[in-house]
Amino acid sequence: MPAPARGEIVRQIGQALRDKLEPLGKLVSLEMGKIKPEGIGEVQEYIDVCDFAVGLSRTIGGHVFPSERPGHALMEMYNPIGVVGVITAFNFPVAVYGWNSAVAMACGDTLLWKGAPTTPLVSVATTKIVASVLEKNGLPGAVSSLCCGGAEIGNAIAKSEKVPLVSFTGSTAVGRKVALTVQERFGRHLLELGGNNAILVDKSADIDMVVRAALFACVGTAGQRCTTTRRLIIHDDKAYTNFMSRVGDPLEEGILYGPMHSQQGVDGYLETLEQIRKEGGKLEYGGKVIDRDGFYVEPTIVTGLPHNSEVVHKETFAPIVYLLRCYSLEEAIEWNNEVKQGLSASLFTQDLGNVFKWLGPKGADTGIVNINIPTNGAEIGGAFGGEKHTGGGRESGSDAWKQYMRRSTCTINYTKDLPLAQGLKFE
């Protein structure tokens, strides 16, 4: 099937998702626990990636290079890689599959998806929407296949040589195992792993902007985003002590903060609080399980810990943020970069000179580098992913599509002569 025809299928998938935007978004809220606007926003993200992939289907290209040999053409061609295995996490049960599936389908690949075992309803509903479009166009619904289950399914996907690319989203610990398993058979892996993201507050920053941005960055999705802000590195001149809501059913209007996804998340929250106390940290706010039905915990603000303490360097998938006082932008950048993860980081500043320090070679070492916006809430047009223990993967926009294709360097001789490259004579 030509790429533009594949793009037409993806366009129809985007429309089918638009038709189910609110009910599917509510199902995300019901099963995952994020508030309804976030659940609907997640489905909208899949729709937006479909729009991107439709355009991509008309622009997938290669390159033509000048050949050093007379009468020769040198070019690159891209072809589908085949089956893409997609293993997604509970916190984004729709959007991350959307990043992979829309782009992979435009590239000509088929998919085998293992969603999180705790969000099977969302996985089934999403797959039914996609399969219905495929079948209306005379294609097998299995072009976009779903296999529900636990770690045994993910392990089988990682081991299978029939799956040339495995896209995994989850913890760094599990991602390391996936990478080794896939690499052992010389497959490709695309990893989106943990983050220990920081907002740096320069002495020239607009504090009102910082507070509004940090609220969403720290407690959006109850701290269960890989891009959640976990460290606020604040310049001493910026009223450090000033950094000292609405909680309820995530399906209700006006709620900003819902429950955590599971008891496992609550347990991790409590274990980290115990470690904070042992290391001498002070809880400025929060630190308790909320007494109501569901997995509700208080957003927690911690002070009194050094920037390089063990608990500060650990990613806890919960709404806990550490306030750290620094004395220069250079020091703040050094602290930002010292953690093992490298996903997202933000600088709030009104100083133009600091902008380019932050973006330059001695600035942030993360895959996503922001100025005057929070660490989370990325647009789909840019590639999403991070460095170091975040895995190095890139999904969604930009040229992330190249990972879903097989690249060939092609040389065509349209003469009767056989000159060799580099002027080599073999006669």
Side-chain angles (χ1 to χ4, degrees):
M1 179 181 285
R6 300 194 298 258
E8 169 57 18
I9 303 297
V10 175
R11 185 197 67 76
Q12 292 178 36
I13 291 170
Q15 186 55 54
L17 289 163
R18 281 184 176 89
D19 295 341
K20 297 286 193 298
L21 175 61
E22 185 156 343
L24 184 55
K26 284 181 176 179
L27 185 59
V28 172
S29 296
L30 179 68
E31 195 169 38
M32 185 273 149
K34 62 178 61 175
I35 61 174
K36 188 172 73 170
E38 288 190 68
I40 292 172
E42 187 176 338
V43 181
Q44 184 63 51
E45 190 163 356
Y46 192 169
I47 294 166
D48 292 346
V49 177
C50 285
D51 289 346
F52 172 85
V54 174
L56 172 66
S57 71
R58 295 274 179 178
T59 58
I60 290 172
H63 292 91
V64 177
F65 302 106
S67 174
E68 67 183 66
R69 291 173 281 187
H72 285 60
L74 181 62
M75 64 185 73
E76 282 184 344
M77 296 283 290
Y78 286 88
N79 288 295
I81 195 172
V83 181
V84 178
V86 183
I87 304 171
T88 60
F90 73 85
N91 59 333
F92 280 88
V94 172
V96 174
Y97 180 65
W99 294 349
N100 285 275
S101 65
V103 174
M105 288 172 117
C107 291
D109 301 320
T110 58
L111 296 116
L112 175 59
W113 179 23
K114 189 199 91 67
T118 53
T119 55
L121 299 180
V122 171
S123 299
V124 169
T126 303
T127 299
K128 282 183 174 290
I129 291 169
V130 175
S132 69
V133 173
L134 291 164
E135 288 162 359
K136 284 176 185 175
N137 284 272
L139 297 168
V143 165
S144 176
S145 291
L146 171 69
C147 190
C148 291
E152 73 283 359
I153 304 298
N155 193 45
I157 291 172
K159 285 183 174 180
S160 176
E161 294 195 359
K162 296 178 181 179
V163 184
L165 171 64
V166 177
S167 173
F168 173 83
T169 302
S171 70
T172 296
V174 177
R176 182 182 285 110
K177 293 177 183 177
V178 170
L180 292 173
T181 302
V182 174
Q183 183 59 46
E184 190 173 37
R185 61 175 174 85
F186 294 104
R188 292 193 206 175
H189 51 72
L190 198 171
L191 303 176
E192 298 288 359
L193 310 178
N196 193 341
N197 316 293
I199 288 179
L200 282 61
V201 183
D202 177 56
K203 60 184 178 181
S204 69
D206 182 321
I207 284 294
D208 180 61
M209 285 184 67
V210 174
V211 171
R212 285 185 287 128
L215 175 63
F216 175 58
C218 295
V219 305
T221 325
Q224 298 167 108
R225 289 174 177 243
C226 51
T227 52
T228 292
T229 295
R230 312 208 180 276
R231 297 175 294 150
L232 272 170
I233 304 174
I234 304 164
H235 194 282
D236 186 56
D237 290 347
K238 259 338 228 190
Y240 174 86
T241 54
N242 284 350
F243 282 87
M244 300 294 166
S245 74
R246 295 192 295 266
V247 178
D249 185 333
L251 286 166
E252 288 182 10
E253 296 296 333
I255 295 298
L256 292 180
Y257 180 79
M260 298 196 71
H261 180 60
S262 67
Q263 185 61 46
Q264 182 179 0
V266 176
D267 292 343
Y269 170 85
L270 294 173
E271 288 167 10
T272 297
L273 291 178
E274 185 61 31
Q275 188 176 355
I276 288 166
R277 292 185 184 99
K278 286 181 179 177
E279 294 189 24
K282 179 183 177 184
L283 303 186
E284 297 286 354
Y285 180 86
K288 299 185 186 70
V289 174
I290 298 173
D291 185 16
R292 59 173 296 159
D293 290 340
F295 305 115
Y296 289 85
V297 300
E298 292 181 341
T300 303
I301 301 172
V302 180
T303 61
L305 289 171
H307 63 90
N308 57 353
S309 71
E310 182 181 343
V311 73
V312 171
H313 278 216
K314 164 187 162 185
E315 182 196 28
T316 299
F317 227 51
I320 300 173
V321 64
Y322 304 97
L323 269 58
L324 308 170
R325 178 183 294 169
C326 70
Y327 296 93
S328 70
L329 178 61
E330 290 72 21
E331 184 176 51
I333 292 172
E334 181 182 340
W335 294 1
N336 175 75
N337 294 352
E338 71 185 4
V339 298
K340 290 183 178 180
Q341 305 88 350
L343 180 52
S344 181
S346 299
L347 170 66
F348 278 78
T349 185
Q350 299 297 314
D351 186 332
L352 186 61
N354 288 340
V355 167
F356 291 97
K357 285 182 184 177
W358 180 237
L359 299 178
K362 293 184 178 180
D365 66 355
T366 52
I368 299 168
V369 183
N370 297 326
I371 296 169
N372 294 333
I373 63 168
T375 55
N376 50 12
E379 297 183 33
I380 64 99
F384 181 93
E387 301 299 321
K388 302 189 296 189
H389 285 209
T390 301
R394 293 296 186 275
E395 291 174 318
S396 190
S398 185
D399 65 348
W401 61 270
K402 291 180 179 179
Q403 296 165 111
Y404 302 90
M405 303 200 82
R406 173 174 52 80
R407 178 165 67 177
S408 304
T409 300
C410 309
T411 308
I412 302 169
N413 178 3
Y414 52 89
T415 72
K416 295 292 186 180
D417 299 322
L418 279 172
L420 298 175
Q422 292 83 48
L424 179 64
K425 299 296 182 183
F426 195 76
E427 298 172 354

